[in-house]
Amino acid sequence: MRRDRLLAYALIAPSILFLAVIFLIPLGQTIALAFTRHGTFGLANFARMAGDLNFRNAVANTLGLVIVVVPLQLALALGMSMMLRHLKRGRELILWIWSIPLGVSDLAAGLVWLGILTEKGYLNTILYHLGVIHGPVSWLTYETPLALFIGILVAEIWRATAIIFVVLVAGTQLIPAEFEEAASVFGATAWQRFRRVTVPLLRPSIQTALILRTVLAFEAFAVVLAIGGQNFPVLLSQAYLWQDTNQDYGVAAAYAVLIMLITLAATLFYLVALRPRAGEVA
Amino acid sequence: MAELLIEGVAKSFGPVVALAEATLAIGDGEFVALLGPSGCGKTTLLRIVAGLEEANCGQVLIGGRDVSALPPRARGLAMVFQNYAVFPHMTVGENVAFGLAMARAPAARIAKQVARAASLMQIETLLGRYPAQLSGGQRQRVAVARALAVEPAVLLMDEPLSNLDALLRLEMRAELKAVLREAGTTTLYVTHDQTEAMGLADRVAVMHEGRIVQIAAPSDVYRRPASVFVGGFVGNPPMNFLRVAAVSGEVRLGALRLSAPMEEGGLLLGIRPEQLAVVETGGFLFRVAVAEPLGTHLLLTGETGGQRMRAVVPPDATVVAGAELLLAFDPAAIRWMDAASGRAIGAA
Ligand SMILES: Nc1ncnc2c1ncn2[C@@H]1O[C@H](COP(=O)(O)OP(=O)(O)O)[C@@H](O)[C@H]1O
Ligand SMILES: [Mg+2]
């Protein structure tokens, strides 16, 4: 018994060590970097970050993106996984097609959508030929914030809904058909079955998907940068700007710490808000 | 409460014929057990009645209304699933109230019905718990209470006791019978356990390879099986079948001379093991191969004239393996079967 437990720890040890080296140590260094400016310990980097012209925009854009994109994607992915669940034929093919965006890199996806939405892109060409517009229209400038936001939204939805979708599909496959059948025998309509039985039973998967997706949404970067550039600052693109353009590692680290705190808070929120009721699981 | 009519229902899954043809009429308040070995199509038939599966042909009528095209929720029935399908995210109380809540019944009615169903199934003290905190037997009670709470026109049960251990099954069987008698609900009860079917039902419908082969009262199914299959499937130990030949309208078995249902030719003589009695003279010779004392009786397995046979004799008989006995029986207890078709000869 004791030997077994020792063996278990021994087997876990390499992964812990690995994590420590590639994750915990850089994390510690980043935090140290964020709280040190010109050799003195303090909040100077954070003050500099908050005083920056683009800071409020970056916070607002990031939060706005998360608040709009995550619920939309959850609703879409739930709908998609329900449709898939009730398909009799061609399930594999559709699952495969809907998962394609997972295999496309962020930047590639961003560039594809840039190609569609840019002044001389496919969207304008189509709209022009349909007679909706009379010449090239710029959608992606700081003068058209709504169009820019929607453009980024569409690209993000295209790119990252599949992450939620595959988690939910895996979850739905764990739910025996009997529960929905029992619900329908006992008089539940399709909507009641979905609301009262399927969604609650899917809750662990929904929780996982939301945490994953929200964390990734706070870290949205490549797509946003490709489409919006500095017209649509978000937290991570600001961190990148300070790191790469301004060469100010302290402020970049402060951004990183801020993002980490926000994602931690979001994760905690989901863990608490979507926890099972006492006694529900043995 | 209503009568349930199943008319010419058939179902295939691709090349697999799950249900060849089933016709069954269940009276208002009647309890019918659908009995058959696993894979014979019982669940398929039940699911078609519930509307969970679409039949290839045939109709289902509940209370005279053709429900074949209606979704499950519009059929006015309740079901107890084999694995209970008690919702894990709802308390026992919420589970029992589910059907009424879906129908948007007034709160007072829900409370009343839930209390009644809970008291019938003796789960009043469990209403606040979650299924994860219950034993298998308790979950089973919740599943039945959930079904009774909606006061269904027809109650369907798919092997509801098969996941319980033997002792609990015996207990629940008696309890179910009492509860369902009191509720007076039309019930179609699926089981592969013949004692369950015989003990619970007003009538037993025996299924074999996708067909209902006999519908009769339990004692009739037992005493007058419609085929060799039914005689072998119902009853433990099963009915004996001896290949015999009729000569001039008579079958001879040792010293026994039995009047046959035909003049000449081969047929099967069906006789229940407990109809056999040890006699001093006359009778036919039976060689005992194995003697099993089972408490209430002694089960003898052996052969007569090279054919395998079982006999049940009183427990005080001293019989050892290798013994040779003379056995006899009342000719009225014989069930003659056609040797070729395996069907009973004469009236059904
Ligand atoms: N969904 C299905 N797809 C394919 N074959 C099925 C399906 N359901 C049942 N069957 C087949 O139909 C036959 C009858 O099954 P079932 O009604 O479950 O039998 P029982 O309940 O009497 O054990 C079996 O051969 C089974 O394999
Ligand atoms: Mg079955």
Side-chain angles (χ1 to χ4, degrees):
Chain A
M1 184 66 207
R2 237 191 95 69
R3 274 186 56 115
D4 281 358
R5 226 178 307 163
L6 274 181
L7 179 66
Y9 285 118
L11 289 173
I12 291 169
S15 63
I16 299 282
L17 205 69
F18 188 67
L19 267 181
V21 171
I22 70 152
F23 178 68
L24 290 179
I25 293 176
L27 178 69
Q29 286 175 335
T30 304
I31 293 173
L33 202 59
F35 286 96
T36 324
R37 187 154 192 92
H38 306 308
T40 51
F41 186 82
L43 294 172
N45 284 327
F46 288 90
R48 186 95 197 252
M49 170 179 84
D52 179 44
L53 202 63
N54 271 333
F55 177 71
R56 299 183 106 211
N57 268 342
V59 171
N61 285 342
T62 308
L63 286 179
L65 201 58
V66 169
I67 286 168
V68 176
V69 87
V70 174
L72 261 177
Q73 289 186 320
L74 178 66
L76 267 174
L78 269 174
M80 286 157 72
S81 44
M82 286 307 110
M83 275 152 77
L84 200 68
R85 188 169 170 77
H86 293 109
L87 273 185
K88 289 219 167 73
R89 230 172 279 175
R91 276 199 74 217
E92 269 69 38
L93 181 68
I94 291 181
L95 178 63
W96 187 76
I97 291 174
W98 276 347
S99 311
I100 287 177
L102 274 184
V104 178
S105 85
D106 297 15
L107 189 58
L111 292 175
V112 166
W113 280 95
L114 182 66
I116 294 172
L117 299 174
T118 192
E119 239 176 85
K120 289 180 183 129
Y122 295 104
L123 179 68
N124 275 347
T125 309
I126 292 170
L127 289 180
Y128 179 74
H129 283 293
L130 288 176
V132 180
I133 54 174
H134 301 291
V137 178
S138 309
W139 306 103
L140 308 176
T141 66
Y142 66 94
E143 286 157 344
T144 54
L146 187 65
L148 179 57
F149 183 73
I150 291 173
I152 290 170
L153 199 68
V154 169
E156 273 291 287
I157 285 174
W158 181 85
R159 185 186 68 82
T161 302
I163 296 172
I164 302 187
F165 170 67
V166 293
V167 174
L168 294 187
V169 166
T172 52
Q173 280 167 351
L174 292 177
I175 303 176
E178 257 189 7
F179 292 121
E180 283 170 340
E181 289 178 352
S184 63
V185 166
F186 284 100
T189 60
W191 176 248
Q192 284 173 320
R193 280 201 303 277
F194 177 70
R195 271 286 295 116
R196 304 286 301 265
V197 177
T198 312
V199 168
L201 291 177
L202 255 183
R203 190 183 49 206
S205 306
I206 292 176
Q207 189 181 52
T208 307
L210 278 178
I211 291 173
L212 262 177
R213 183 60 199 114
T214 306
V215 168
L216 289 177
F218 277 117
E219 294 169 0
F221 178 56
V223 169
V224 175
L225 200 65
I227 297 176
Q230 284 306 319
N231 291 335
F232 195 85
V234 289
L235 289 175
L236 202 58
S237 65
Q238 286 308 103
Y240 176 71
L241 186 80
W242 280 92
Q243 168 102 6
D244 196 65
T245 312
N246 301 357
Q247 301 269 317
D248 190 330
Y249 300 140
V251 175
Y255 267 108
V257 168
L258 178 67
I259 292 169
M260 186 185 73
L261 288 178
I262 294 174
T263 52
L264 268 180
T267 304
L268 272 178
F269 168 76
Y270 286 131
L271 286 178
V272 173
L274 295 176
R275 73 187 179 285
R277 292 191 272 178
E280 193 176 333
V281 280
Chain B
M1 272 155 267
E3 74 268 8
L4 168 64
L5 214 63
I6 300 165
E7 274 182 355
V9 167
K11 174 76 183 177
S12 300
F13 295 100
V16 182
V17 179
L19 207 55
E21 197 273 344
T23 296
L24 180 61
I26 303 180
D28 190 0
E30 195 183 12
F31 190 131
V32 169
L34 199 57
L35 171 67
S38 123
C40 74
K42 306 180 297 292
T43 297
T44 304
L45 181 56
L46 207 67
R47 289 172 58 84
I48 288 171
V49 173
L52 295 171
E53 208 81 69
E54 206 176 322
N56 298 134
C57 60
Q59 276 136 36
V60 176
L61 285 86
I62 295 176
R65 187 171 62 125
D66 187 348
V67 298
S68 311
L70 298 181
R73 66 187 168 84
R75 298 191 175 198
L77 37 76
M79 187 160 170
V80 177
F81 289 76
Q82 184 165 6
N83 300 316
Y84 316 140
V86 169
F87 303 122
H89 60 290
M90 297 182 197
T91 62
V92 169
E94 289 166 343
N95 264 287
V96 177
F98 185 82
L100 296 161
M102 292 302 104
R104 302 191 194 289
R109 174 145 177 269
I110 295 182
K112 195 180 118 233
Q113 306 264 98
V114 169
R116 199 186 61 101
S119 106
L120 269 176
M121 294 315 295
Q122 301 176 18
I123 51 167
E124 298 106 315
T125 56
L126 306 177
L127 289 175
R129 292 214 210 158
Y130 283 94
Q133 301 167 306
L134 304 179
S135 70
Q138 289 171 326
R139 263 178 241 180
Q140 211 274 333
R141 286 168 183 276
V142 175
V144 177
R146 176 174 67 180
L148 292 177
V150 298
E151 297 189 320
V154 171
L155 175 58
L156 306 175
M157 301 204 201
D158 192 358
E159 315 225 10
L161 304 183
S162 63
N163 287 338
L164 304 181
D165 59 60
L167 204 63
L168 200 54
R169 202 180 311 160
L170 201 67
E171 208 173 283
M172 276 305 294
R173 199 166 77 201
E175 203 177 313
L176 261 186
K177 182 160 186 167
V179 165
L180 292 174
R181 174 132 311 156
E182 190 182 324
T185 310
T186 309
T187 305
L188 181 57
Y189 184 103
V190 162
T191 179
H192 68 269
D193 180 337
Q194 47 111 4
T195 34
E196 220 170 278
M198 309 276 286
L200 282 170
D202 299 322
R203 283 192 301 151
V204 176
V206 186
M207 269 189 95
H208 181 43
E209 291 177 346
R211 286 176 199 284
I212 295 177
V213 291
Q214 185 170 15
I215 311 171
S219 57
D220 271 357
V221 170
Y222 187 79
R223 276 182 305 175
R224 302 166 54 75
S227 67
V228 172
F229 168 78
V230 178
F233 187 71
V234 176
N236 184 20
M239 194 174 230
N240 294 301
F241 290 102
L242 298 174
R243 279 186 310 281
V244 293
V247 179
S248 313
E250 205 177 64
V251 166
R252 289 182 176 214
L253 193 63
L256 302 179
R257 300 168 136 235
L258 310 161
S259 88
M262 63 203 293
E263 278 300 303
E264 308 284 332
L267 69 169
L268 294 171
L269 185 162
I271 185 80
R272 288 279 174 200
E274 64 274 17
Q275 296 290 343
L276 298 166
V278 181
V279 292
E280 293 297 318
T281 56
F284 60 95
L285 192 71
F286 173 70
R287 191 169 294 109
V288 179
V290 183
E292 298 168 74
L294 296 176
T296 55
H297 58 263
L298 190 61
L299 173 62
L300 307 176
T301 306
E303 51 95 12
T304 180
Q307 299 192 59
R308 184 187 173 82
M309 189 171 211
R310 287 196 189 86
V312 165
V313 297
D316 45 345
T318 48
V319 182
V320 293
E324 292 191 342
L325 305 172
L326 286 174
L327 296 180
F329 51 83
D330 176 3
I334 296 175
R335 190 72 172 153
W336 295 106
M337 300 277 174
D338 184 277
S341 69
R343 295 221 187 88
I345 297 170

